[in-house]
């Protein structure tokens, strides 16, 4: 396939496909090279997407046949768990079932990305699956294409968009970023657990294709810096659990044992009871934040999505940032096509677009968040135990006065953690997200 | 549910040759922690007669072994295009 295109995109995920749709809309000759058997075959996320951001690329996405939505999310819950107990806070709003429908919705990435790539194909982009990009082609220091694993597999292009995900071999091989450090990613495992739609409706108190997401914090990963999610799909539950990879190294905990323990937690077990596991997958989350982002452009290339470490952990935004960054990369390329200048200077407009958008503004706002969690393991072990102690004291009715109970809780906090440390923790937490 | 049963749920198209190679087996013998034995979500790395065996067939392609290896002793490549795991739901 020794062919020449205007743009070669590496990776048919949300970043690459968003770019491909935008470019194809502008009549630009675009190829997307994907290593999976089909787009989405290697992709995994917790499973939420955001309608506003998808709408920037496909304005009428809900009207496109086959739009693979699982459930429209009307309630977002946050849990803080100890090993045997938990606090639950949720926000449900009828606006999300009405005029702000599809504000957040769940998807399965294998299904969604395949459909999304079909939209790019319909608009004229060429999608080449089952093909690994091994390296970039360069001429005079400028990227001019990609070398694939196929025989005669060189693809020449005016510009290359690297969107091959968080485990980007290409960006590393090309020297555009060092290989990822264990402390900068979370390793997540996920099970998709089949349940009848009406059982999901009953258990979560929803109907009409609506659903609930739950972000799960606290002692969910054996004391590691970890997080869980439990999302409702049409006829399944996505249950995922992730923890910092450096913590996995230190603790020697096994991801598949942890998710089994997680399934048995008294808050989780009743929601998945009777369900049948359909799939087990693993993937990284780029948690390193703003300070681990590589330079996102150079002579003849741009980097988008997870490859660029774009991820907003506290707001569970990743796939949507990939989409928006893919679109901004495409818009930059469309402008550069007018002058034919694909130098780093010309492509630096991409960085300006990202900086002016919520993407880099949010990345900067939360730049300290990952480090804050990683450095404060008490959030994942000591604090949950104190919360459990407090909950049991306050909610157990016995002969003790409430004042006695309150004193016991404060004593526990003093003993296990210390008041100054607790105050410092709160202050650091506030500073990490302010 | 055991890890073997979890992997049994997934769809793999297995290559004849491993995409994961230990560069220098001696380095593994000198490695005290051998984190690959525990952190791999697919239990690809197993100790047999003191040697680390690579059961690449069930690899979920996350990349964790490569970057967590204290000696950076794993030559990690993507499987050939179209091979390896294919997510059904994702």
């Amino acid at each position: 396939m020794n062919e020449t295109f205007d743009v070669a995109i590496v990776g048919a995920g949300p970043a690459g496909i968003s770019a491909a749709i935008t470019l194809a809309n502008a009549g630009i000759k675009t190829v997307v090279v994907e290593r999976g058997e089909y787009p989405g075959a290697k992709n995994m996320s917790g499973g939420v997407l955001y309608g506003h951001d998808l709408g920037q690329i496909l304005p009428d996405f809900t009207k496109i046949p086959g739009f693979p939505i699982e459930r429209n999310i009307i309630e977002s819950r946050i849990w803080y768990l100890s090993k045997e107990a938990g606090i639950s806070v949720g926000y449900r709003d009828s606006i999300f079932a009405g005029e702000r429908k599809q504000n957040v919705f769940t998807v399965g990435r294998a299904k969604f990305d395949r459909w999304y790539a079909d939209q790019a194909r319909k608009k004229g982009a060429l999608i080449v699956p089952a093909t690994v990009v091994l390296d970039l082609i360069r001429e005079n220091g400028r990227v001019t294409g990609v070398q694939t694993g196929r025989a005669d597999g060189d693809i020449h292009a005016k510009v290359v968009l690297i969107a091959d995900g968080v485990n980007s071999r290409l960006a590393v091989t090309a020297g555009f970023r060092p290989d990822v450090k264990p402390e900068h990613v979370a390793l997540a495992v996920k099970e998709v657990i089949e349940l009848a739609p009406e059982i999901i409706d009953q258990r979560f108190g929803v109907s009409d294709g609506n659903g609930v997401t739950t972000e799960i914090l606290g002692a969910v990963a054996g004391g590691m810096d970890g997080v869980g999610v439990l999302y409702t799909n049409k006829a399944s539950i996505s249950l995922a659990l992730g923890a910092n990879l450096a913590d996995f190294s230190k603790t020697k905990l096994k991801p598949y044992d942890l998710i089994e323990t997680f399934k048995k937690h008294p808050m989780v077990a009743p929601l998945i009871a009777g369900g049948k596991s359909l799939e087990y997958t693993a993937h990284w989350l780029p948690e390193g934040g703003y300070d681990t982002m590589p330079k996102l452009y150079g002579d003849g290339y741009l980097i988008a999505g997870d490859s660029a470490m774009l991820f907003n952990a506290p707001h569970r935004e990743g796939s949507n940032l990939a989409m928006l960054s893919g679109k901004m990369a495409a818009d930059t390329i469309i402008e550069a096509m007018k002058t034919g200048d694909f130098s780093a200077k010309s492509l630096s407009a991409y960085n300006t677009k990202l900086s002016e958008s919520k993407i880099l503004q949010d990345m900067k706002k939360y730049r300290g968040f990952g480090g804050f969690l990683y450095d404060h393991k008490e959030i994942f072990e000591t604090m949950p135990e104190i919360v459990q102690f407090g909950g049991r004291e306050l909610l157990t009715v016995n002969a003790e006065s409430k004042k006695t109970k309150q004193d016991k809780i404060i004593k526990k906090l003093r003993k296990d953690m210390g008041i100054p440390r607790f105050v410092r923790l709160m202050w650091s937490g506030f500073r990490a997200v302010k | 549910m055991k890890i073997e049963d979890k992997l049994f749920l997934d769809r793999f198209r297995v290559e004849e040759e491993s995409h994961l190679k230990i560069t220098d087996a001696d380095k593994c013998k000198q490695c005290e922690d051998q984190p690959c034995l525990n952190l791999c979500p697919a239990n690809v790395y197993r100790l047999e007669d003191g040697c680390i065996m690579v059961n690449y067939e069930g690899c979920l392609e996350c990349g964790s072994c490569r970057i967590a290896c204290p000696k950076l002793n794993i030559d990690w490549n993507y499987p050939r295009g179209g091979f390896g795991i294919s997510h059904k739901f994702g």
Side-chain angles (χ1 to χ4, degrees), chain A residues 380-426:
Chain A
F380 308 98
E381 199 148 33
T382 314
M383 286 277 296
E385 279 169 26
I386 296 169
V387 167
Q388 179 182 297
F389 181 87
R392 286 179 180 178
E393 281 299 323
L394 288 174
L395 295 169
T396 303
V397 177
N398 52 21
E400 282 174 355
S401 74
K402 300 301 179 252
K403 180 72 171 68
T404 311
K405 288 176 179 291
Q406 188 184 311
D407 290 347
K408 275 167 86 176
I409 296 166
I410 291 169
K411 197 178 156 202
K412 170 90 175 160
L413 181 64
R414 275 185 204 283
K415 183 171 148 281
D416 290 4
M417 205 164 159
I419 304 292
R421 192 162 145 226
F422 179 71
V423 172
R424 273 201 305 274
L425 174 73
M426 292 297 136

Side-chain angles (χ1 to χ4, degrees), chain A residues 37-38 167 191 260 279-280, chain B residues 6 10 41 78 86-88:
Chain A
E37 198 179 350
Y38 42 82
N167 185 15
E191 271 184 47
E260 282 307 297
E279 186 168 58
Y280 170 72
Chain B
K6 289 185 195 294
D10 294 336
Y78 294 133
S86 285
H87 297 175
K88 295 171 285 188

Side-chain angles (χ1 to χ4, degrees), chain B residues 50-88:
Chain B
C51 287
I52 291 179
M53 305 304 286
V54 184
N55 297 278
Y56 71 96
E57 297 88 344
C59 174
L60 300 174
E61 299 168 36
C62 66
S64 300
C65 57
R66 178 184 80 245
I67 64 167
C69 174
K71 299 180 185 289
L72 298 178
N73 195 29
I74 298 169
D75 178 21
W76 196 106
N77 293 289
Y78 294 133
R80 191 148 51 94
F83 284 81
I85 191 166
S86 285
H87 297 175
K88 295 171 285 188

